[in-house]
Each structure stands twice: as structure tokens, then as C-alpha cells.
Amino acid sequence: MTKCATTAVIGRPSVGKSTLINTICESKVSITSPTPNTTRNAIRGIYTDSRGQIIFTDTPGYHISEKKFNKHMIDIARESLEECDSVLYIVDATRAPGDEENAVSSLLSTLKVPVICCINKADIAREEQKKMAREYLERTMPSRVILEISATEDHGVDEVLIELFKVAPEGPLLYGEDQRTDQDLEFRVSEIIREKAMNSVHAEIPHSIFVEISDLEYNREENKVWIRAFITVERESQKGIVVGKGGANIKKIRVQSFKEIKRIFPSSSLELDLRVRVNSKWKSNDFILHNVFRETQE
Ligand SMILES: Nc1nc2c(ncn2[C@@H]2O[C@H](COP(=O)(O)OP(=O)(O)OP(=O)(O)O)[C@@H](O)[C@H]2O)c(=O)[nH]1
Ligand SMILES: [Mg+2]
């Protein structure tokens, strides 16, 4: 009998949750960046082998904030815990635990489902940092499995899968063997563009970016894909930075996005029209929250 489990991946911002899911799924399922709070939605990554299937839910980094936008992200992380069979708790060995780590560990310590703790970034952490992270987890998550891993170097990742399959319930596969994610096409494309845009700017601008696909036409007969997307920022000055001198930055975003979107449509010709616009209220406007968080409007 095969096994099938859903696993919520939880941790502070930037600990490497999305990177780990991409490494496990051997595919870019969830975008990553050095900026905290990159992931904004519950994103599914699917891993299948002869043992069965693990369906990962990537979540927004768990942090403390009173802002409406951030609270939405925290809720998404919490909700993913409600129906999962197990939890992967990721900590970053290079950062000392503080109030935020305590908030995550106390949230997880009360769970009845198995929690597997991963000390990530073992490739760059010093020995004493790894020791501190282990002591912290032994204290706050007693009798839970603790592993040391590197999501970028693919170290210790097989052990993570071994532990997850150990505790996975028996059951039929929920997705096809080759399926890596359940995201729809428009969302995948918008996320690729958001990643390239976020990684092309600094300071607070990455948090001000929202990408919306206004048109996505797939003409199967002519084998053509035509996409128009808007990169929305909150201020006119940010627009100038995203566009760049003489359009240099937006050109870079377009080239990088094109390359990655092309992998979704390898045998089609692709046209990508990228525009930048300003909407100072996109984070507070309910309509846009509906779009960003893809929630059903009441
Ligand atoms: N050296 C090293 N860097 C890593 C490792 N895992 C992730 N990173 C880097 O850490 C940064 C954050 O990674 P993400 O995967 O986006 O982190 P996240 O936990 O999904 O972050 P949020 O979505 O913002 O909560 C990126 O720059 C990654 O390349 C690792 O094992 N080793
Ligand atoms: Mg992430």
C-alpha cells in the first residue's frame, strides 16, 4: 500500500521553506528571494516516489505584526496546520532565536501531529550555531525528530523524506505521479514575474510589488502564448526604480521571466508584455487582497 500525507512547512521568514520544497520537488514550485516574506500564499508542492506521495504546503514566514496584510499571511500559515498529517518546522541555524522563533515553537509545541524539526543552512552555519539551534529545539520541541539540512546544497534532504514517510498514513495518491504543484497557470506566471521583480530591487520595494496577469492567451492551433502582466508598486518613485534607467531594469525582469515562463510552454512561441503601474492602496484594498490572497469574496 502506498502512503500519502500532507505536510505543512512552517518557520520564520527567510529560513528556506520555499527553497527546501523546490529541492524536494526538483522543480521551481515556490519562488524564493533573500527578502523576508517572499511567500504570500499557501503553495502546494507535490513529491512522489515508490513509497507514495507527500503534499507540501509552503506557507508565508511566520512573524509578529499588526499590519492587516501581514496578519493575512500569518493566518494562512496557521490554517495550513489545521488539516495536515505532519509538520516540517524549519529554523535558520545562522540566526539566533528570538521572540518570533518562540512564537513559532510555542504554536507548534501544542500540535498532536508529528513535527519534524529541520536546522537549515547547515552549509554556512558555524558549528556552535548549529549546536545552539539544536539545544533550542531540544528544549522547545522535546522528543521531536531534529535534522540538520542544507536546502540549497541538497544535504540531509533524503532524511527529511524518510522521516515524513515514516509517519505518513497509508492511502492512495491524491495527485498524478508527475504533478509537482496544483497552482493554475496564471498564478505560476505571476509568481515567476514577482520573483524576478523582487530580486531586481532592494530595501522595502520588494514588499511593495504585486503582479497581476491581465491577459493570458494560449492559442493551441498556432502554438502561441501571449501574456500581458502588470507589476504594481505603491509609489511613483518605486515605479522609476522598477523600470530603471532607460528601461534597463524592466528589460532585465522581462528577459529573466521570459526564460522561466518558456519552460512552462517549451514548444510554443511566447510573447510577454510587462508594464509597471502605481497603486498606493493595493495592500489595503479588499479587492486586491482578494487577488493577492486569492480568497473568495464574501
Ligand atoms: N546558504 C544557504 N542559503 C539558503 C538555504 N536555504 C535557503 N537559503 C537562502 O535563504 C533565502 C530565503 O530562502 P526562501 O526559501 O525564500 O525562504 P522562505 O522561508 O521561503 O522565506 P519566506 O517565504 O519569506 O518566509 C534565499 O536567499 C535562499 O537562497 C540553505 O540551505 N543554505
Ligand atoms: Mg517562502
Side-chain angles (χ1 to χ4, degrees):
M1 185 68 174
T2 57
K3 291 188 157 191
C4 187
T6 52
T7 298
V9 184
I10 304 280
R12 279 198 290 176
S14 276
V15 295
K17 299 177 294 296
S18 304
T19 306
L20 176 62
I21 291 176
N22 292 340
T23 299
I24 290 177
C25 298
E26 293 173 348
S27 147
K28 175 76 148 299
V29 167
S30 189
I31 67 168
T32 66
S33 91
T35 307
N37 297 324
T38 298
T39 306
R40 292 178 182 160
N41 309 73
I43 289 176
R44 291 198 153 185
I46 303 155
Y47 173 83
T48 312
D49 71 15
S50 57
R51 291 170 286 188
Q53 193 162 68
I54 307 283
I55 301 148
F56 294 92
T57 305
D58 190 10
T59 65
Y62 199 90
H63 62 293
I64 301 163
S65 172
E66 282 308 310
K67 286 188 187 154
K68 185 177 172 188
F69 186 81
N70 294 350
K71 279 177 143 178
H72 254 86
M73 297 209 290
I74 296 165
D75 286 345
I76 290 168
R78 278 175 175 274
E79 281 161 18
S80 74
L81 294 170
E82 282 164 18
E83 285 181 2
C84 62
D85 299 308
S86 55
V87 172
L88 270 189
Y89 172 23
I90 318 291
V91 302
D92 179 343
T94 66
R95 272 152 59 202
D99 289 348
E100 251 169 23
E101 199 67 77
N102 293 339
V104 187
S105 58
S106 65
L107 174 73
L108 300 184
S109 62
T110 59
L111 294 177
K112 297 209 168 50
V113 294
V115 178
I116 292 143
C117 307
C118 300
I119 301 171
N120 191 31
K121 307 197 186 179
D123 55 307
I124 52 167
R126 294 191 306 272
E127 282 313 313
E128 73 256 30
Q129 289 178 314
K130 291 184 233 180
K131 190 168 160 259
M132 262 180 61
R134 184 174 284 277
E135 283 168 2
Y136 176 82
L137 289 169
E138 281 169 352
R139 183 161 46 80
T140 55
M141 308 292 293
S143 71
R144 304 288 198 180
V145 174
I146 302 171
L147 302 169
E148 276 179 31
I149 66 165
S150 166
T152 47
E153 304 302 306
D154 199 351
H155 290 157
V157 174
D158 288 343
E159 285 69 22
V160 175
L161 284 167
I162 289 171
E163 293 299 331
L164 287 173
F165 276 116
K166 252 190 219 169
V167 296
E170 289 191 346
L173 308 188
L174 290 180
Y175 293 93
E177 277 177 39
D178 298 327
Q179 200 171 338
R180 306 287 168 96
T181 184
D182 67 346
Q183 299 158 60
D184 63 44
L185 212 50
E186 271 196 17
F187 184 68
R188 283 177 74 188
V189 169
S190 70
E191 286 286 271
I192 290 169
I193 298 167
R194 189 163 69 88
E195 179 185 72
K196 305 311 172 200
M198 281 184 81
N199 283 325
S200 77
V201 291
H202 302 284
E204 90 290 1
I205 306 176
H207 295 298
S208 294
I209 293 173
F210 167 57
V211 175
E212 203 171 11
I213 308 294
S214 64
D215 285 293
L216 194 160
E217 284 169 31
Y218 190 2
N219 185 328
R220 283 171 203 274
E221 274 162 33
E222 292 182 31
N223 211 10
K224 271 189 185 159
V225 180
W226 188 83
I227 299 168
R228 172 175 289 162
F230 286 93
I231 299 173
T232 303
V233 288
E234 290 178 290
R235 285 199 295 280
E236 207 55 54
S237 60
Q238 296 172 334
K239 179 176 170 182
I241 295 167
V242 172
V243 171
K245 221 176 180 178
N249 197 54
I250 186 73
K251 192 170 164 198
K252 192 174 94 188
I253 297 170
R254 206 194 83 85
V255 168
Q256 292 177 352
S257 303
F258 187 96
K259 233 168 116 183
E260 214 165 300
I261 297 167
K262 189 83 174 82
R263 284 193 216 139
I264 306 178
F265 309 99
S267 55
S268 308
S269 75
L270 172 65
E271 255 184 71
L272 175 64
D273 179 14
L274 271 190
R275 306 193 176 193
V276 187
R277 66 182 171 194
V278 179
N279 178 345
S280 62
K281 296 197 177 70
W282 77 256
K283 275 191 189 166
S284 52
N285 179 326
D286 279 341
F287 174 77
I288 301 206
L289 279 180
H290 160 68
N291 285 291
V292 177
F293 294 113
R294 300 161 71 82
E295 282 172 2
T296 325
Q297 265 174 328
E298 283 160 23

